[in-house]
Amino acid sequence: MTIRIGVLGYGNLGRGVECAIKQNPDMELKAVFTRRDPAGVKILTETAKVYPVADAEKMKDEIDVMILCGGSATDLPVQTPEYVKLFNVVDSFDTHAKIPEHFAAVDAAAKENGHVGLISAGWDPGMFSLNRAYAEAVLPEGANYTFWGKGVSQGHSDAIRRIEGVKDARQYTIPVEAALEAVRSGSNPQLTTRQKHTRECFVVAEDGADLARIENEIKTMPNYFDEYDTTVHFISEEELKRDHSGIPHGGFVIRSGKTGWNGENKHVIEYRLQLDSNPEFTSSVLVAYARAVYRMAKEGQTGCKTVLDVAPAYLSPKSGEELRKELL
Amino acid sequence: MTIRIGVLGYGNLGRGVECAIKQNPDMELKAVFTRRDPAGVKILTETAKVYPVADAEKMKDEIDVMILCGGSATDLPVQTPEYVKLFNVVDSFDTHAKIPEHFAAVDAAAKENGHVGLISAGWDPGMFSLNRAYAEAVLPEGANYTFWGKGVSQGHSDAIRRIEGVKDARQYTIPVEAALEAVRSGSNPQLTTRQKHTRECFVVAEDGADLARIENEIKTMPNYFDEYDTTVHFISEEELKRDHSGIPHGGFVIRSGKTGWNGENKHVIEYRLQLDSNPEFTSSVLVAYARAVYRMAKEGQTGCKTVLDVAPAYLSPKSGEELRKELL
């Protein structure tokens, strides 16, 4: 019996989920649900079908876990509490500050309807959260550091695109090597925003645009750029397409802490991701957690869960015996 | 209510557990049990007492979790199944090949007596196992690599000490930087034992010993050194004490894998530990898992568990709300 997966939303993330399911023989993509005209949505899996979202409810009994691939700004706050009434669901809700209220909404709806809803899977929140939690539990006296990059920030790229005279743009977040080294040394440094990351922007300007003004507007943009050392490169549309069309990302979670009766020994725990494709890696995490959700639901668990509530064994297709023999 | 911890065995690991408990305000060291004469065992915690092992049974109701700090070769295979009859226990059993049979013995005794026994906590097995399992679940198409070091191998140091003419010795296991770089590149290299690690030995010889013979015996020792590039340095007793008295260790778990419909995107997940004190870090992991065992037992769970069976939230003194707010 394979785990039957539904995908709601077929953008980069939904397509990534489709690809990840192909790598997991115990799973099957049953259906993709879209707000677009289904006739216009071509998927890769020959055995799966595309339906309008309105048809999701009819498929209640044919889908074990629905993976919600919408955005965190407006889609998921509505969709996850709504669809957990019908399905076990997984989402990648990543607005850190709003996780508590999202959790509460999903938990109430999930419990009322006897489903499991796992929220905020992915890598941050997700794998990075796991590593912050494990490291803090093991080394209570210490400090956590999270660095992002080198990678493309969609939000910052969009912010640049909204500037007058900008045709297209790509922004990379880059961790500062000296800050990484200071953290790895175990010295528990206090680091400002500026000391941790730099921002590098590749901008395609409209013909005749005032480049100096654009550069200044970027560098002084509140919240997005003003607290960072920012570099701006103006390039052609061809160069942007050729050199900056990927969506790489990654980063570091590092905890340094001490042990011993008088804190005499230092330890550094470092977790690092280098991802060619941010959405495909996120999707791969969603799919592993869909397996966990399926199993937790089978056991009769209900309510909202996060990655912190899931024992690692639930993520693997291997049995307990296999895991102990091969991976422990 | 604090979690009352007992420690069985007061060597490096037991002392490390004592230090770790001091960092965790929800825990209390209740008693240390020793096979030595308790009068000769001085502990650091003023509020705890030292008892002979034979008295452990009498303390059944005063200890929530017993942390077993014996060795994997002869102590734990006997002690863990025995003491899980009386207590919830945690051990650091690290003979990878014998984990399945240890698990079976502990599981039977734990279930029969309504206790939880968590085995093989520490860093390898332990934190490294977690990372192998998570990474494989998220990137099913890929390969896991584990590197150890730079750090002191107790077993290899002991093997050198058994050679005639050797007074004392310290052996470091060192990962080969080129191998690490090859793995990080995502090229999924096939690496031989020799390509992954080198071994560096610091040896204090007896006066007049045949140094060439000692060096040769080390370098050709089957299983321990013959498959490695080994360097031998003869140093004085003072130098050994001055420069090599610490017990550092650490290492890397790296998985590289690919995603995409045709595996077109590469990803690298890297987990790294740099530990000033191998036993104190191991102890810190044992203590975090003692908290988890306490909670699982409270919930009515029984049987043998490993780190793969424990949801990360159980390790933290923080509530679910706090974890979601601060770490997710």
Side-chain angles (χ1 to χ4, degrees):
Chain A
M1 263 275 294
T2 57
I3 305 172
R4 300 164 303 173
I5 305 288
V7 164
L8 199 146
Y10 194 70
N12 281 336
L13 205 58
R15 205 162 15 242
V17 167
E18 182 178 26
C19 295
I21 290 169
K22 189 187 173 198
Q23 296 186 336
N24 287 283
D26 61 336
M27 299 189 166
E28 165 194 7
L29 178 66
K30 196 78 191 172
V32 168
F33 300 91
T34 179
R35 284 179 293 200
R36 293 177 270 167
D37 174 6
V41 175
K42 293 256 171 304
I43 64 171
L44 302 162
T45 307
E46 289 176 12
T47 52
K49 286 193 175 153
V50 183
Y51 299 97
V53 278
D55 286 2
E57 184 158 7
K58 295 181 204 157
M59 304 276 293
K60 241 162 67 75
D61 301 323
E62 291 170 64
I63 285 168
D64 296 311
V65 184
M66 183 74 94
I67 302 182
L68 303 173
C69 297
S72 295
T74 55
D75 298 331
L76 297 176
V78 177
Q79 288 176 350
T80 314
E82 186 182 324
Y83 284 97
V84 81
K85 293 179 186 165
L86 303 169
F87 302 96
N88 300 305
V89 304
V90 177
D91 82 16
S92 64
F93 185 76
D94 67 358
T95 313
H96 288 264
K98 293 191 176 167
I99 287 174
E101 70 188 85
H102 190 55
F103 183 93
V106 175
D107 195 48
K111 282 186 175 145
E112 208 168 300
N113 296 276
H115 289 129
V116 174
L118 188 132
I119 62 163
S120 302
W123 60 276
D124 195 0
M127 304 311 292
F128 273 18
S129 320
L130 289 175
N131 278 280
R132 287 187 285 259
Y134 275 119
E136 183 182 278
V138 168
L139 295 175
E141 294 186 3
N144 276 351
Y145 297 84
T146 301
F147 292 86
W148 296 275
K150 182 180 176 177
V152 171
S153 164
Q154 220 60 60
H156 287 78
S157 301
D158 289 345
I160 299 173
R161 286 191 203 101
R162 287 191 292 266
I163 294 173
E164 199 193 314
V166 170
K167 225 168 150 178
D168 203 351
R170 195 59 52 106
Q171 193 268 182
Y172 295 91
T173 305
I174 304 169
V176 175
E177 195 56 45
L180 281 171
E181 283 310 317
V183 169
R184 285 190 188 117
S185 77
S187 68
N188 277 14
Q190 294 276 345
L191 297 167
T192 63
T193 298
R194 191 176 300 275
Q195 285 171 320
K196 286 182 72 186
H197 297 93
T198 56
R199 299 196 176 279
E200 189 169 22
C201 313
F202 294 88
V203 181
V204 181
E206 315 259 11
D207 282 349
D210 179 348
L211 302 188
R213 175 192 50 82
I214 292 173
E215 180 164 346
N216 185 57
E217 279 193 41
I218 294 173
K219 290 184 171 175
T220 58
M221 195 185 297
N223 303 318
Y224 285 88
F225 293 99
D226 62 340
E227 289 181 60
Y228 298 86
D229 289 334
T230 301
T231 321
V232 177
H233 309 279
F234 290 97
I235 60 174
S236 70
E237 206 159 2
E238 293 66 43
E239 286 170 307
L240 191 81
K241 194 164 281 175
R242 189 190 65 208
D243 303 332
H244 304 284
S245 61
I247 323 177
H249 220 313
F252 304 78
V253 171
I254 307 180
R255 185 173 184 86
S256 69
K258 39 193 195 164
T259 64
W261 195 250
N262 297 305
E264 54 272 32
N265 287 309
K266 284 189 301 189
H267 306 275
V268 179
I269 303 173
E270 175 171 342
Y271 181 77
R272 178 182 190 182
L273 294 176
Q274 292 175 268
L275 313 175
D276 270 3
S277 165
N278 182 353
E280 286 183 7
F281 187 81
T282 300
S283 302
S284 296
V285 177
L286 292 175
V287 167
Y289 277 96
R291 179 182 291 116
V293 162
Y294 173 78
R295 291 174 175 176
M296 294 166 94
K298 280 264 174 214
E299 287 180 5
Q301 297 192 46
T302 65
C304 189
K305 311 284 176 189
T306 77
V307 297
L308 302 173
D309 303 311
V310 179
Y314 283 89
L315 302 178
S316 172
K318 293 183 173 169
S319 68
E321 288 77 12
E322 289 170 316
L323 287 173
R324 287 189 290 275
K325 193 160 183 269
E326 297 169 24
L327 295 174
L328 197 65
Chain B
M1 261 274 293
T2 56
I3 305 172
R4 300 163 304 172
I5 304 289
V7 164
L8 200 146
Y10 195 70
N12 281 336
L13 205 58
R15 204 161 17 242
V17 167
E18 182 178 25
C19 296
I21 289 169
K22 190 188 174 198
Q23 297 187 335
N24 287 283
D26 60 336
M27 298 190 166
E28 164 193 9
L29 178 65
K30 196 78 193 173
V32 169
F33 300 91
T34 178
R35 284 179 293 199
R36 292 177 270 167
D37 175 4
V41 176
K42 294 255 172 303
I43 65 171
L44 302 161
T45 308
E46 289 175 11
T47 52
K49 286 193 174 155
V50 183
Y51 299 97
V53 277
D55 286 3
E57 183 157 8
K58 295 181 205 158
M59 304 275 292
K60 242 162 64 76
D61 300 324
E62 291 170 63
I63 285 168
D64 296 310
V65 183
M66 182 74 95
I67 302 182
L68 303 172
C69 297
S72 296
T74 55
D75 298 331
L76 297 176
V78 178
Q79 288 175 351
T80 314
E82 188 183 323
Y83 284 96
V84 81
K85 292 178 186 166
L86 303 169
F87 301 96
N88 300 305
V89 303
V90 177
D91 82 15
S92 64
F93 185 76
D94 67 359
T95 313
H96 288 263
K98 293 190 175 167
I99 286 175
E101 70 187 83
H102 189 56
F103 183 93
V106 175
D107 195 48
K111 282 186 176 147
E112 209 168 298
N113 295 275
H115 289 128
V116 174
L118 187 133
I119 62 163
S120 302
W123 59 276
D124 196 0
M127 304 311 291
F128 273 18
S129 320
L130 289 175
N131 278 281
R132 287 187 286 259
Y134 275 119
E136 184 183 276
V138 168
L139 294 175
E141 295 187 3
N144 276 351
Y145 297 85
T146 301
F147 292 87
W148 296 276
K150 181 182 177 175
V152 171
S153 163
Q154 220 59 60
H156 287 78
S157 301
D158 289 344
I160 299 173
R161 286 191 202 100
R162 287 191 293 265
I163 293 173
E164 200 192 313
V166 171
K167 227 168 148 179
D168 203 351
R170 195 59 51 106
Q171 193 269 181
Y172 295 91
T173 305
I174 304 169
V176 174
E177 195 57 44
L180 280 171
E181 283 310 318
V183 168
R184 284 190 188 118
S185 77
S187 68
N188 277 14
Q190 293 277 344
L191 297 165
T192 63
T193 298
R194 189 176 301 274
Q195 286 171 319
K196 286 182 73 186
H197 297 93
T198 56
R199 299 196 176 280
E200 188 169 21
C201 313
F202 294 87
V203 180
V204 181
E206 315 259 12
D207 282 349
D210 179 348
L211 304 187
R213 175 191 51 80
I214 291 173
E215 179 163 346
N216 185 57
E217 279 194 40
I218 293 173
K219 290 184 170 176
T220 58
M221 194 185 297
N223 303 319
Y224 285 88
F225 293 99
D226 62 340
E227 289 180 61
Y228 297 86
D229 289 333
T230 301
T231 320
V232 177
H233 309 278
F234 290 98
I235 60 173
S236 70
E237 207 158 1
E238 294 66 41
E239 286 171 308
L240 191 81
K241 193 164 285 177
R242 189 189 65 206
D243 303 331
H244 305 283
S245 61
I247 324 177
H249 219 314
F252 304 78
V253 171
I254 306 178
R255 184 172 185 85
S256 68
K258 39 192 194 166
T259 64
W261 195 250
N262 297 304
E264 54 273 31
N265 287 309
K266 285 190 301 190
H267 307 276
V268 179
I269 303 173
E270 176 171 342
Y271 181 78
R272 178 183 189 181
L273 294 176
Q274 291 175 270
L275 313 175
D276 269 4
S277 166
N278 182 352
E280 285 182 7
F281 187 81
T282 300
S283 301
S284 297
V285 177
L286 292 176
V287 167
Y289 276 96
R291 179 181 291 117
V293 161
Y294 173 78
R295 292 173 174 178
M296 293 166 94
K298 281 264 174 215
E299 286 180 4
Q301 297 193 46
T302 65
C304 189
K305 310 284 177 189
T306 76
V307 297
L308 301 173
D309 304 310
V310 180
Y314 282 90
L315 303 176
S316 172
K318 293 183 172 168
S319 68
E321 287 76 12
E322 288 170 317
L323 288 172
R324 285 189 291 275
K325 193 159 182 269
E326 297 170 22
L327 295 174
L328 197 63

